[in-house]
Amino acid sequence: MIRNQWYAILESNEIKIGRPLGVTRLGEKLVVWRTLEGEVTCMHDLCPHRGVALSAGKILVDRIQCPFHGFQYDASGRCQVVPANGKGTPVPKAFRVHTYPAREANGFIWIWWGEARPDLPPLPFFETIDDAFSYMTFRDHWSVHYSRAIENQLDAVHLPFVHHNTIGRGGRTIVNGPLVRWESDPASPIETMNIWVNNRADEGQPALKADEMPEPNRHPSLQFRFPNLWHNWISDSVRIMVAFAPIDEENTLIYLRFYQKAVRAPILRQVFNVLAQPLNIIVLRQDKRVVLTQRPKRTDLRMGEKMIPGDGPIIAYRRRRQEMIDRAGELPVVTADPG
Ligand code: FES
Ligand SMILES: [Fe+2]
């Protein structure tokens, strides 16, 4: 995983007021909960007293209470009450649970995985998905590291094989390019890879190299935004978007969303979204069947795979990921939310 990034880890509607949820994300057991006001909090799912899972506890207005001996932790992770000592007795500062900065936007819950900073950067998302869109989500568990799941979505070479009877119909086996362009903003850690896919039928012509591709005159077909967001531009009004929530080194939760703004009337749009989703699920299942057989379960910059020019976006992803890991350092620093 890359430090100093915002990760989408859950959808907002998975966390209900009064119901703490225990999940594994980024290799940690976490408890995610809301105060009665709805503010979201994410902390280690481990009571520092004697190791019980806080997710089995309950919410008391703006605190979570351990189910074992009733210690109460506030949203910053500090223990405020040790009932056995008397509720008015001050609690030593060392009684605290590691807490991640957590935010909520675009229907996701995000945690900052990295060092403490007074000003955290903005959350990553896709600006072209505006409020006019509605969406429907499909969740799926894949038993691979999120790098494998992400690379599958950057892979233009697999389309006529894995999806021969769906989105890869037509036998367009020649992979021109793909053209890859980066967008980065020096003021933030948000980095985006734009990819233009240009597959054609094989009529004896060689594939064009990325640097032989004509200047694009349309929105990129695919966008990947570090660390875990992907966007497929189907049309102005239809998109597919995926958040790859890393569970651990061998597991990922896929949040696949179908977005559209062609049908906007409240009930009709939901019906439309429900009807459109099965095709996306079939396509995702086609990917899953193959990707789950890949070994090893995670990828690295130097791992001995024999790549071809059409794998350009995957190579570009691996390079950039490694640079970002190197730049940010290896070990996570778990911090309380300064905000
Ligand atoms: S283990 Fe949590 S209060 Fe004792
Ligand atoms: Fe695919």
Side-chain angles (χ1 to χ4, degrees):
M1 318 294 172
I2 309 163
R3 282 176 78 214
N4 296 339
Q5 299 284 320
W6 284 110
Y7 285 82
I9 60 156
L10 285 162
E11 279 206 316
S12 290
N13 62 14
E14 293 180 274
I15 308 300
K16 313 272 191 262
I17 287 180
R19 300 234 310 262
L21 182 72
V23 291
T24 303
R25 293 289 187 274
L26 295 126
E28 302 274 7
K29 285 207 177 302
L30 305 172
V31 54
V32 187
W33 55 280
R34 292 182 190 278
T35 63
L36 282 192
E37 304 233 292
E39 284 294 304
V40 81
T41 294
C42 174
M43 48 180 57
H44 278 179
D45 193 10
L46 188 90
C47 178
H49 178 218
R50 287 180 49 218
V52 157
L54 291 169
S55 55
K58 65 178 179 196
I59 306 303
L60 307 172
V61 187
D62 57 355
R63 295 179 188 164
I64 187 164
Q65 182 179 46
C66 179
F68 207 177
H69 314 102
F71 289 25
Q72 295 175 21
Y73 300 91
D74 66 18
S76 78
R78 274 224 39 205
C79 183
Q80 297 290 358
V81 177
V82 173
N85 293 349
K87 62 178 184 247
T89 307
V91 181
K93 276 198 172 139
F95 283 58
R96 64 162 39 251
V97 188
H98 288 307
T99 301
Y100 289 88
R103 303 277 187 275
E104 208 169 355
N106 293 298
F108 284 112
I109 290 170
W110 310 74
I111 59 168
W112 173 254
W113 199 71
E115 65 198 10
R117 291 183 181 178
D119 293 311
L120 292 170
L123 299 172
F125 206 66
F126 299 103
E127 308 72 25
T128 60
I129 300 179
D130 56 36
D131 290 346
F133 282 87
S134 62
Y135 66 85
M136 170 106 205
T137 307
F138 174 70
R139 252 181 0 155
D140 202 24
H141 174 264
W142 286 26
S143 56
V144 286
H145 186 255
Y146 82 139
S147 54
R148 280 293 191 201
I150 288 168
E151 289 182 8
N152 171 65
Q153 302 300 115
L154 310 178
D155 182 336
V157 184
H158 81 279
L159 291 168
F161 301 98
V162 171
H163 306 300
H164 62 95
N165 57 356
T166 54
I167 54 168
R169 236 183 259 128
R172 291 188 297 275
T173 51
I174 290 276
V175 178
N176 289 325
L179 184 63
V180 171
R181 294 257 166 91
W182 288 95
E183 242 175 75
S184 2
D185 173 358
S188 88
I190 297 175
E191 305 219 29
T192 306
M193 176 168 30
N194 294 318
I195 306 166
W196 287 263
V197 174
N198 184 312
N199 291 7
R200 293 285 178 266
D202 189 343
E203 284 154 1
Q205 82 282 24
L208 295 176
K209 304 264 177 354
D211 59 8
E212 297 166 340
M213 298 292 290
E215 253 325 279
N217 56 4
R218 59 188 163 97
H219 191 276
S221 3
L222 304 177
Q223 288 185 299
F224 174 71
R225 185 153 283 179
F226 275 98
N228 67 341
L229 301 179
W230 175 91
H231 177 213
N232 182 5
W233 180 287
I234 310 284
S235 74
D236 258 10
S237 54
V238 178
R239 318 292 175 75
I240 314 282
M241 186 256 154
V242 178
F244 306 86
I247 296 175
D248 58 24
E249 288 291 305
E250 301 201 336
N251 295 281
T252 302
L253 202 64
I254 306 260
Y255 290 89
L256 176 126
R257 284 184 181 173
F258 171 79
Y259 276 93
Q260 62 83 23
K261 61 178 177 184
V263 180
R264 299 196 198 182
I267 293 171
L268 271 185
R269 71 181 176 209
Q270 280 320 103
V271 172
F272 185 87
N273 296 350
V274 168
L275 292 177
Q277 194 64 308
L279 172 64
N280 303 316
I281 296 171
I282 290 168
V283 170
L284 192 73
R285 293 276 190 226
Q286 291 181 320
D287 289 314
K288 182 177 185 179
R289 185 179 153 265
V290 176
V291 173
L292 261 49
T293 70
Q294 286 185 285
R295 295 290 177 274
K297 281 175 179 279
R298 61 165 285 156
T299 70
D300 277 298
L301 184 54
R302 281 175 203 85
M303 59 185 297
E305 292 187 345
K306 306 287 180 275
M307 308 296 259
I308 58 172
D311 294 322
I314 293 167
I315 298 166
Y317 164 71
R318 290 183 186 178
R319 283 211 183 108
R320 187 60 57 104
R321 178 161 63 104
Q322 193 59 51
E323 280 166 25
M324 290 168 76
I325 289 172
D326 293 345
R327 214 184 308 145
E330 293 253 304
L331 295 170
V333 179
V334 182
T335 62
D337 190 340

